[in-house]
């Protein structure tokens, strides 16, 4: 699938450190400056497919805080689609600065496990997951209409054993079924117990972490990905230091041996939100340079 006309295109998992700006505009929108910084840094680093930086909250509250049926982190009634899109305004700004942008949605299973059910409208969490999927499908369609290159659904809960993966698969499939553009599923952590269920999900790209979980490479080496590209996490998001370009090159080369350079998108393991800005930028810059060196070879 041709997301961009080069081998080993670079992208991000999504989040970036929140760097607030001052000035009059910050009084009206305190976090717009953080969006501007995140976008500018990704472009300056040379990333091919960027994000809006996801600076307006953590991956749970950024979505559930504006969904009807949810107050705080409690489900108090039937969950409905939002009255207006949740992330499209920042995405449109990002698209005004760069042609290739990834729309990002926190997955329904991960959201549901961050909520308390305080209503008889739901008999259990699985019903919440499916209604969240309906609401998020509306957001996915809005992001597609805005012009994003792909939609990424983040489901870190899938590798933990806490979620019902059958219901989770049904929910993600519900979202991707409304899309015409490519979809991507991001799951961090060790994949051993979940990979067979994950591979059944109807997405275009599978995005995993490999620098902090090197065993994932061995796990996937025996699996049939059915021709789907892999988002290849080669930068350790949890490491507060900046890896050398050479270290990242070696990680990518291990992936090329398994997947082939033509089947990989290069990105960090996870989001970079918890890092210092100079570290996050340094990691992206080193990643882009490492991918460029290997692109020239392959």
């Amino acid at each position: 699938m041709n997301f961009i006309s080069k081998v080993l295109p670079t992208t991000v998992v999504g989040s970036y450190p929140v760097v607030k700006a001052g000035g009059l505009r910050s009084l009206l929108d305190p976090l717009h400056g953080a969006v501007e910084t995140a976008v500018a840094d990704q472009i300056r680093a040379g990333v091919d497919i960027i994000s809006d930086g996801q600076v307006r909250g953590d991956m749970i509250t950024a979505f559930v805080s504006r969904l009807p049926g949810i107050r705080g982190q409690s489900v108090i009634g039937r969950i409905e689609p939002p009255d207006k899109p949740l992330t499209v305004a920042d995405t449109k700004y990002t698209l005004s600065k760069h042609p290739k942008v990834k729309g990002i949605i926190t997955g329904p299973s991960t959201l549901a496990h961050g909520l308390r059910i305080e209503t008889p409208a739901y008999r259990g969490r699985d019903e919440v997951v499916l209604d969240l999927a309906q609401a998020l499908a509306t957001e996915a369609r809005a992001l597609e209409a805005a012009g994003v290159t792909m939609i990424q659904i983040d489901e870190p809960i899938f590798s933990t054993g806490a979620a019902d993966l059958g219901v989770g698969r049904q929910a993600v499939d519900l979202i991707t079924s409304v899309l015409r553009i490519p979809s991507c599923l991001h799951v961090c952590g060790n994949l051993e117990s979940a990979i067979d269920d994950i591979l059944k999900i109807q997405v275009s790209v599978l995005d995993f972490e490999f620098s902090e979980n090197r065993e994932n490479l061995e796990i996937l080496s025996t699996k049939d990905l059915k021709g789907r590209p892999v988002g290849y996490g080669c930068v350790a998001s949890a490491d507060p230091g900046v890896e050398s370009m050479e270290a990242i090159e070696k990680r990518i080369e291990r992936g090329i041996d398994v997947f082939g350079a033509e089947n990989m998108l290069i990105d960090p393991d996870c989001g970079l939100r918890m890092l210092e800005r100079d570290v996050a930028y340094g990691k992206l810059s080193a990643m882009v340079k490492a991918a460029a060196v290997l692109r020239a070879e392959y």
Side-chain angles (χ1 to χ4, degrees):
M1 190 167 292
N2 187 20
F3 299 101
I4 196 165
S5 56
K6 62 168 68 171
V7 175
L8 299 173
T10 56
T11 185
V12 289
V13 172
S15 68
Y16 199 75
V18 179
V19 182
K20 294 184 179 180
L24 180 61
R25 183 161 191 175
S26 69
L27 298 176
L28 302 173
D29 183 352
L31 289 168
H32 184 74
V35 178
E36 291 179 328
T37 297
V39 170
D41 279 7
Q42 290 172 80
I43 294 171
R44 184 162 60 100
V47 176
D48 295 312
I49 306 171
I50 70 171
S51 78
D52 65 6
Q54 295 183 291
V55 299
R56 294 192 183 273
D58 64 69
M59 67 186 305
I60 304 292
T61 58
F63 286 89
V64 302
S65 62
R66 288 167 52 197
L67 288 179
I70 300 173
R71 184 173 62 212
Q73 290 193 260
S74 297
V75 181
I76 59 169
R78 184 64 62 177
I79 296 168
E80 303 285 349
D83 295 331
K84 59 182 181 178
L86 307 173
T87 62
V88 169
D90 287 344
T91 300
K92 285 184 174 178
Y93 168 79
T94 310
L95 283 161
S96 75
K97 300 296 181 183
H98 193 73
K100 299 285 186 180
V101 175
K102 174 189 284 187
I104 301 167
I105 293 171
T106 302
S109 293
T110 296
L111 290 179
H113 280 77
L115 297 171
R116 296 180 298 274
I117 302 173
E118 298 180 357
T119 171
Y122 292 104
R123 292 172 296 178
R125 202 170 298 279
D126 292 346
E127 292 182 357
V128 173
V129 170
L130 295 174
D131 273 5
L132 281 167
Q134 293 281 3
L136 294 169
T138 301
E139 181 73 6
R141 281 193 295 264
L143 286 165
E144 179 179 68
V148 297
T149 296
M150 70 169 73
I151 302 285
Q152 175 180 296
I153 300 168
D154 291 339
E155 286 285 22
I157 198 78
F158 280 1
S159 67
T160 68
D164 183 317
L165 294 182
V167 174
R169 182 176 80 214
Q170 184 181 347
V172 173
D173 286 351
L174 191 155
I175 298 170
T176 61
S177 69
V178 307
L179 298 172
R180 293 170 303 215
I181 60 173
S183 56
C184 172
L185 176 67
H186 169 71
V187 182
C188 48
N190 183 286
L191 300 170
E192 186 170 8
S193 63
I195 189 60
D196 290 331
D197 286 292
I198 290 170
L199 292 178
K200 295 173 185 174
I201 297 173
Q202 300 300 306
V203 289
S204 316
V205 179
L206 297 157
D207 188 277
F208 305 125
E209 64 171 294
F210 294 98
S211 67
E212 293 277 65
N213 270 282
R214 290 181 58 178
E215 56 271 29
N216 284 343
L217 199 55
E218 183 178 346
I219 291 166
L220 283 164
S221 66
T222 63
K223 302 296 181 180
D224 180 7
L225 304 185
K226 298 182 179 177
R228 289 178 289 185
V230 170
Y232 188 81
C234 61
V235 172
S237 305
D239 182 350
V242 178
E243 300 98 318
S244 69
M245 187 183 77
E246 293 75 19
I248 297 172
E249 274 184 60
K250 289 178 181 176
R251 292 173 186 166
I252 297 172
E253 285 177 326
R254 287 195 289 268
I256 290 172
D257 289 342
V258 173
F259 304 117
E262 70 281 4
N263 297 315
M264 295 166 63
L265 288 81
I266 304 303
D267 61 6
D269 275 351
C270 296
L272 304 176
R273 178 183 176 89
M274 302 309 294
L275 299 171
E276 296 295 326
R277 177 191 178 187
D278 61 337
V279 172
Y281 174 78
K283 285 177 179 284
L284 290 181
S285 183
M287 180 188 79
V288 168
K289 290 172 183 174
V293 169
L294 293 168
R295 188 178 301 123
E297 294 181 25
Y298 290 94

